[in-house]
């Protein structure tokens, strides 16, 4: 009986061992294996922070041409949409009545000057006679008063003649600036009212303005003073254009920050030798807000956030994930500048920050930091290349 009991116990132990051994080995092996995680080596690049603003192109000078006198349009001399030069005759008004008025006043002036000369001669004669006591003082004073009245008459007529000649000149409406002229709003035969009727518009060319509003925070962070912003380069893109082919410089900074929006008005000036920058066109202005400098660059997705800090997971010599607080900077495409906290050469976890934690062992799989075609500075690559249109956000 005792022999039979010992035999059953031995068989049960063998059965249990046979059932547990294979399953145990299969389940423990993957638990001990470290996960494979993609990492990149942090590298330093020459980068330059950029800002982008929207604007409307403006002409430095734009004139809404209106007549200075009322009258009837006699002839339109310009070709609509063409370039005009300052002083070119654009529109003629009927000036016959104005010319007649000038002739009339010129005749009145001749008569008044003759009367003045006669009165002046009589006064001078009275001065000689009074010395000889041949005329009374009262008569001499009357002649003096008459001479002064004739002098005043001459002055009054001269003033009215000058106004009449000015009105006559206003009948020939000339271009006040050089530029491109719009269509004729009023044609020959129509009556115009002084300072009211719109005749046409003229926009100056050769250069264009692009005004934009910079945030107060950006201004004080990167510039602070007007002298630091003047002559800073900018590039401009119109709707439908690839890249930013138009180049200019900042030439004006306003004298106060707008309280409602907290922005500062800034102007860029751009040459327009080919006539592409039409006034009123929507455009984007891009400018570098600091000089290029060497900064560590990592993929933006490698940066995670805890309750207080931004951080990345780096890999130490024992292939363990290490918590590393960082200060992110500007973003360039899919990459982010690290201002503080990360040294170049360290391996940074790209994917998996949500799956692994500090101190966990990993199997790092290194991937390349591909920045080919990425616009990092103003002068490194051509801004005309559409492949280099990545900008900081």
């Amino acid at each position: 009986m005792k022999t039979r009991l010992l035999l059953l116990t031995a068989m049960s132990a063998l059965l249990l061992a046979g059932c547990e051994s294979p399953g145990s080995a299969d389940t423990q092996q993957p638990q001990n294996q470290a996960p494979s995680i993609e990492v990149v080596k942090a590298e330093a690049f020459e980068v330059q922070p950029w800002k982008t603003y929207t604007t409307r192109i403006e002409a430095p000078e734009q004139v809404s041409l209106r007549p200075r006198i009322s009258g009837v349009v006699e002839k339109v001399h310009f070709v609509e949409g063409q370039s005009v030069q300052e002083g070119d005759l654009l529109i003629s008004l009927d000036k016959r009545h104005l010319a007649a008025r000038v002739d009339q006043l010129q005749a009145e002036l001749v008569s008044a000057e003759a009367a003045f000369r006669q009165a002046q001669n009589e006064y001078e004669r009275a001065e000689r006679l009074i010395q000889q006591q041949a005329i009374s003082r009262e008569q001499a004073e009357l002649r003096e008063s008459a001479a002064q009245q004739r002098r005043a008459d001459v002055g009054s007529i001269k003033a009215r003649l000058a106004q009449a000649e000015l009105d006559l000149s206003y009948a020939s409406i000339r271009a006040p600036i050089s530029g491109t002229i719009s269509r004729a709003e009023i044609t020959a035969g129509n009556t115009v009212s002084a300072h009211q009727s719109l005749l046409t518009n003229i926009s100056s060319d050769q250069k264009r303005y692009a005004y934009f509003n910079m945030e107060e925070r950006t201004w004080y962070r990167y510039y602070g003073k007007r002298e630091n912003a003047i002559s800073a380069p900018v590039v401009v893109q119109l709707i439908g254009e690839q890249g930013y082919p138009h180049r200019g410089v900042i030439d004006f900074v306003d004298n106060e920050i707008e309280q409602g929006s907290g922005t500062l008005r800034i102007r860029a000036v751009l040459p327009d030798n080919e006539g592409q920058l039409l006034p009123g066109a929507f455009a984007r202005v891009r400018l570098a807000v600091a000089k290029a400098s060497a900064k560590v660059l990592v993929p933006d997705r490698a940066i995670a956030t805890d309750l207080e800090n931004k951080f990345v997971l780096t890999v130490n010599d024992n292939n363990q994930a290490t918590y590393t607080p960082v200060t992110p900077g500007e973003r360039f495409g899919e990459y982010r500048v690290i201002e503080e906290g990360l040294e170049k050469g360290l391996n940074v976890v790209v994917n998996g920050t949500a799956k692994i934690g500090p101190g966990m062992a990993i199997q790092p799989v290194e991937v390349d930091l591909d920045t080919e075609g990425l616009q990092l500075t103003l002068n490194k690559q051509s801004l005309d290349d559409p492949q280099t249109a990545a900008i900081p956000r």
Side-chain angles (χ1 to χ4, degrees):
M1 187 70 177
K2 186 181 292 185
T3 302
R4 185 178 177 182
L5 181 60
L6 291 173
L7 181 60
L8 290 172
T9 303
M11 290 176 66
S12 300
L14 289 173
L15 289 171
L16 288 173
C19 292
E20 291 179 1
S21 294
S24 249
D26 290 342
T27 56
Q28 290 177 5
Q29 184 175 357
Q31 292 177 359
N32 296 329
Q33 184 177 359
S36 298
I37 300 295
E38 291 184 349
V39 299
V40 296
K41 181 172 292 186
E43 299 181 21
F45 295 87
E46 287 286 322
V47 298
Q48 195 170 31
W50 288 85
K51 295 292 180 181
T52 303
Y53 301 93
T54 57
T55 184
R56 291 281 179 181
I57 300 299
E58 297 184 19
E61 296 178 294
Q62 190 155 356
V63 176
S64 296
L65 197 62
R66 302 178 190 275
R68 297 189 180 186
I69 60 172
S70 299
V72 177
V73 176
E74 187 175 67
K75 186 176 181 180
V76 176
H77 299 274
F78 64 88
V79 178
E80 296 176 323
Q82 298 298 308
S83 295
V84 295
Q85 299 299 316
E86 181 179 355
D88 286 353
L89 180 62
L90 303 179
I91 295 175
S92 296
L93 302 181
D94 185 0
K95 57 185 178 182
R96 290 172 295 180
H97 65 293
L98 299 173
R101 178 62 175 162
V102 169
D103 292 340
Q104 177 186 355
L105 289 173
Q106 285 176 341
E108 290 181 6
L109 179 61
V110 172
S111 176
E113 288 176 339
F116 168 65
R117 286 194 299 271
Q118 182 180 357
Q120 183 68 21
N121 291 336
E122 290 180 357
Y123 168 64
E124 292 173 356
R125 188 180 303 111
E127 286 291 316
R128 292 193 299 270
L129 292 175
I130 201 171
Q131 293 176 359
Q132 300 172 4
Q133 297 182 351
I135 190 176
S136 66
R137 171 64 64 179
E138 182 180 3
Q139 289 179 323
E141 289 177 353
L142 288 174
R143 292 184 181 184
E144 180 183 9
S145 177
Q148 290 176 349
Q149 290 177 0
R150 298 296 178 268
R151 181 186 294 113
D153 291 342
V154 171
S156 175
I157 294 174
K158 282 184 176 179
R160 285 183 288 155
L161 177 60
Q163 182 63 54
E165 290 174 340
L166 191 60
D167 290 344
L168 180 60
S169 69
Y170 289 159
S172 299
I173 302 173
R174 300 182 180 275
I177 62 172
S178 298
T180 302
I181 197 165
S182 183
R183 71 184 185 92
E185 299 287 346
I186 297 179
T187 54
N190 290 286
T191 302
V192 295
S193 300
H195 308 293
Q196 295 183 9
S197 303
L198 177 63
L199 302 177
T200 187
N201 291 306
I202 305 175
S203 294
S204 63
D205 42 27
Q206 301 303 319
K207 64 179 181 180
R208 291 287 183 258
Y209 287 158
Y211 288 90
F212 57 94
N213 296 324
M214 179 177 288
E215 308 85 3
E216 185 177 358
R217 180 189 300 272
T218 302
W219 170 257
Y220 282 113
R221 178 181 178 184
Y222 294 109
Y223 296 107
K225 294 192 300 183
R226 178 181 180 276
E227 293 76 13
N228 297 333
I230 295 299
S231 299
V234 302
V235 288
V236 172
Q237 178 192 63
L238 301 178
I239 290 179
E241 289 184 332
Q242 298 294 321
Y244 288 72
H246 310 283
R247 299 169 182 264
V249 295
I250 293 174
D251 75 326
F252 166 79
V253 177
D254 210 346
N255 60 356
E256 65 177 355
I257 293 175
E258 207 281 320
Q259 297 183 14
S261 62
T263 58
L264 183 64
R265 192 72 164 166
I266 296 177
R267 182 180 72 198
V269 59
L270 308 105
D272 188 32
N273 299 326
E274 298 180 357
Q276 293 178 314
L277 302 174
L278 296 179
F282 177 84
R284 293 182 177 86
V285 178
R286 189 168 74 175
L287 70 155
V289 292
K291 295 181 179 179
S293 59
K295 299 287 185 180
V296 173
L297 207 64
V298 299
D300 187 61
R301 65 180 184 274
I303 303 174
T305 305
D306 59 17
L307 293 178
E308 297 181 355
N309 303 311
K310 298 285 187 179
F311 70 93
V312 296
L313 293 178
T314 57
V315 182
N316 61 19
D317 295 338
N318 296 324
N319 287 340
Q320 292 178 327
T322 304
Y323 178 89
T324 306
V326 295
T327 303
E330 300 289 341
R331 180 174 174 177
F332 295 85
E334 298 179 354
Y335 295 89
R336 179 78 69 173
V337 168
I338 301 299
E339 298 287 351
E340 296 179 355
L342 184 64
E343 297 180 0
K344 65 178 182 179
L346 293 177
N347 284 330
V348 178
V349 172
V350 178
N351 293 318
T353 54
K355 301 177 183 179
I356 62 175
M360 290 184 59
I362 65 171
Q363 289 185 6
V365 179
E366 188 169 341
V367 295
D368 293 333
L369 191 66
D370 184 14
T371 60
E372 183 178 357
L374 188 65
Q375 178 68 38
L376 298 177
T377 65
L378 175 66
N379 298 317
K380 284 289 185 181
Q381 299 176 9
S382 170
L383 295 177
D384 300 341
D385 185 354
Q387 300 299 323
T388 62
I391 57 175
R393 291 181 286 176

